[in-house]
Amino acid sequence: MEALRLIWDETFTKYDFGDAHPMSPIRLELTARLVRDLGLLAHAGVHVHGVDPVGDEILMTVHDPGFVEAVKAASVRPPRLDEAHGLGTEDVPVFEGMHEASARIVGGTLDLARAVWQREAAHGVNFAGGMHHAMPDHASGFCVYNDSAVAIRALLDEGAERVCYIDIDVHHGDGVERVFWDDPRVLTISLHETGRVLFPGTGFPGDFGGPAAPGSVVNLAFPPGTSDAPWLRGFHAVVPQLVRAFDPQILVTQHGCDSHSLDPLAHMVLSLDCQVESYRVLHELAHEVCDGRWVAVGGGGYELVDVVPRAWAHLVGIAAHHPVPPETLVPSAWRDYVEQRFGRQAPRRMTDGKDVSYRPWTAGHDPEDAVDHAVLSTRKAVFPLHGLDPWSD
Ligand SMILES: [Zn+2]
Ligand SMILES: [Zn+2]
């Protein structure tokens, strides 16, 4: 069995909305290069796979046929713009080959889900994946096809009875939530900056799933400006309890790193160290609860040099069971490449130098504190539906 299957080849950089768009493929290219330069690919059991785009029948396990046709029509020259399907908007401009590039991302996450489920690989990482805003019938928020939703659907079709999806991107994981809104077999947990101020404007604690699956949707909406210790306090007050109670057979996690203080699109102030700490905990949960079955995908992240490559290189290290020590120097070959290509200094170390201690929820909470209020709202909304006590567990 492969210890880690990593999905990557250069074709993933073809998911490219153009130079003016925040989701530049540079972030993926720099991540892959940093992963390599750190020596993570040299570890025994780490296997890198490229994949082909999936066919329409796979996409249509989640997406409407009319949407898939619209994406295809928008992906050729001359493109047919289709704003009703979210194509040709400011967030999702069309480009030649968009259908293939988007379907390839789905292929990556789907391959990992099947490989991890069938024990071909212990863990899987697709940092090009995590297109969590894509809806069944329209593109949204830089996302065309929803790779995680297609992969989870395939797991259910293969017989999985309980799948947990955890989304720590700074934006609400609305697309995956929508697809499994009323499906008791899938627990979706999204931690994000509140929709009161941030796209997509959804993901509130009172949204906890449909009538057939109350509690299968969990939203923890942090106030803008949330920093490391309060975020970790909230994460630890919600995620492990629900994962243990739901007892999933496999964990699918989305690692958008746009929660970082340097990210230009949101207003949270997390450090790299906080993000990496949460990756470490999610990995441990996969072993504790899911017999190690873990598929991790990327997501948002728009600070292309300082944040995304380091965050996801750490993710790969954790998944490879060779976590990168925080004090590690960023390889000089990578720093030289960044300086030559972009004319800017790259970070020197694989850390922001922040400690990741936090005050646990069980030490007491303050209802007047905005983060504690958010955490308590989520716990009150969903903990009883899982047999948990919002006040004391
Ligand atoms: Zn995001
Ligand atoms: Zn592991």
Side-chain angles (χ1 to χ4, degrees):
M1 179 166 69
E2 299 171 22
L4 168 62
R5 182 175 297 184
L6 180 65
I7 299 295
W8 179 252
D9 64 34
E10 292 294 326
T11 57
F12 283 97
T13 61
K14 291 182 179 167
Y15 191 83
D16 186 354
F17 294 115
D19 291 344
H21 195 281
M23 193 182 253
S24 166
I26 287 166
R27 66 204 198 109
L28 303 180
E29 187 208 324
L30 287 180
T31 298
R33 187 177 278 268
L34 182 58
V35 165
R36 183 198 67 194
D37 289 352
L38 283 164
L40 295 172
L41 303 182
H43 294 302
V46 176
H47 294 253
V48 181
H49 289 222
V51 289
D52 291 325
V54 296
D56 295 359
E57 70 288 353
I58 300 280
L59 296 171
M60 290 189 300
T61 62
V62 161
H63 294 287
D64 294 353
F67 173 56
V68 176
E69 290 309 314
V71 174
K72 287 182 175 175
S75 303
V76 292
R77 242 180 230 178
R80 193 170 74 212
L81 304 187
D82 186 344
E83 295 209 9
H85 285 111
L87 302 165
T89 62
E90 189 181 343
D91 275 6
V92 188
V94 301
F95 60 92
E96 205 174 350
M98 180 172 64
H99 167 78
E100 290 76 15
S102 306
R104 188 185 304 279
I105 294 170
V106 174
T109 306
L110 177 64
D111 176 80
L112 293 180
R114 287 178 169 156
V116 168
W117 184 250
Q118 291 163 2
R119 294 276 183 217
E120 293 168 26
H123 303 327
V125 173
N126 178 17
F127 53 74
M131 299 291 143
H132 62 166
H133 298 306
M135 289 289 174
D137 63 351
H138 67 276
S140 174
F142 315 164
C143 305
V144 179
Y145 296 137
N146 199 313
D147 56 298
S148 297
V150 170
I152 292 168
R153 180 76 80 202
L155 288 168
L156 299 174
D157 290 344
E158 295 217 11
E161 291 165 342
R162 294 176 312 283
V163 180
C164 181
Y165 170 83
I166 302 173
D167 185 321
I168 57 170
D169 190 285
V170 80
H171 300 94
H172 175 221
D174 56 343
V176 183
E177 176 184 291
R178 173 78 60 85
V179 171
F180 301 107
W181 175 255
D182 204 18
D183 191 331
R185 297 171 297 175
V186 182
L187 173 66
T188 66
I189 304 175
S190 179
L191 280 62
H192 46 265
E193 181 176 342
T194 175
R196 293 192 198 289
V197 295
L198 195 66
F199 178 89
T202 51
F204 297 101
D207 304 327
F208 52 71
S216 71
V217 167
V218 177
N219 284 298
L220 174 46
F222 287 105
T226 300
S227 57
D228 287 357
W231 190 92
L232 284 168
R233 174 175 164 77
F235 175 89
H236 282 278
V238 168
V239 174
Q241 294 88 336
L242 288 166
V243 171
R244 289 175 187 132
F246 186 70
D247 190 27
Q249 297 157 299
I250 182 167
L251 216 53
V252 179
T253 56
Q254 197 269 19
H255 296 261
C257 53
D258 38 10
S259 53
H260 194 277
S261 59
L262 294 177
D263 194 273
L265 297 194
H267 324 92
M268 304 272 270
V269 289
L270 302 194
S271 69
L272 178 72
D273 305 277
C274 169
Q275 295 174 326
V276 173
E277 171 65 9
S278 69
Y279 303 172
R280 193 188 64 73
V281 173
L282 292 170
H283 172 234
E284 280 186 356
L285 274 173
H287 280 283
E288 179 194 326
V289 180
C290 309
D291 210 11
R293 287 190 170 111
W294 183 34
V295 174
V297 297
Y302 308 99
E303 206 305 314
L304 310 178
V305 171
D306 283 21
V307 178
V308 181
R310 290 190 301 160
W312 293 347
H314 274 293
L315 176 65
V316 171
I318 288 165
H321 288 193
H322 289 278
V324 179
E327 290 304 316
T328 303
L329 288 168
V330 173
S332 57
W334 192 85
R335 298 186 72 235
D336 291 346
Y337 177 79
V338 166
E339 189 164 352
Q340 283 165 18
R341 177 132 177 236
F342 304 106
R344 60 179 274 190
Q345 290 280 318
R348 299 193 65 83
R349 290 191 189 271
M350 292 294 291
T351 176
D352 287 344
K354 297 292 196 300
D355 95 275
V356 291
S357 59
Y358 65 95
R359 200 167 63 89
W361 186 259
T362 46
H365 64 273
D366 174 8
E368 301 296 311
D369 176 83
V371 172
D372 280 7
H373 177 77
V375 172
L376 190 58
S377 299
T378 297
R379 288 172 58 110
K380 286 202 295 197
V382 298
F383 269 32
L385 298 167
H386 291 269
L388 297 166
D389 182 347
W391 302 101
S392 70
D393 277 300

